[in-house]
Amino acid sequence: MFPAYNIEKRVYNNILYKHQKIKDLKNVWVETSGQMDVDVLKNAVKILGANRVVFGTDWPYKPVNIEIDKFYHLGFNDTQLEQIFYKNAEYLWRM
């Protein structure tokens, strides 16, 4: 639809079906701010891949350290965490 643009959207509760719908749209990414359901976060990485998930905190409403710790407890490997925490943002924002 918009092949020249990278599109980022929030990971909201109960949208597993949306992850399935966007999995083939390689220029659509999700970010994690505001997401409290860890199963939704795990499934976003499982369905889309860690290379299409961007870390977000929803600060100041949610403490940053808790959001970071949540990802360390989800069982992602170091490569996945690097992608989610900063490499994907570097790519998306051409840093």
Side-chain angles (χ1 to χ4, degrees), residues 11-67:
V11 179
Y12 288 107
N13 288 331
N14 302 318
I15 63 161
L16 179 56
Y17 71 96
K18 290 184 182 176
H19 294 154
Q20 291 289 351
K21 287 186 174 198
I22 66 171
K23 72 180 179 181
D24 295 326
L25 302 174
K26 301 303 181 193
N27 63 327
V28 178
W29 301 50
V30 296
E31 65 93 22
T32 65
S33 64
Q35 183 50 253
M36 293 182 277
D37 186 340
V38 295
D39 289 331
V40 172
L41 296 171
K42 287 181 187 178
N43 283 318
V45 172
K46 180 180 177 182
I47 293 167
L48 302 175
N51 61 324
R52 290 177 53 204
V53 177
V54 179
F55 178 72
T57 65
D58 219 13
W59 182 87
Y61 306 107
K62 296 175 85 181
V64 175
N65 62 320
I66 291 172
E67 293 303 300

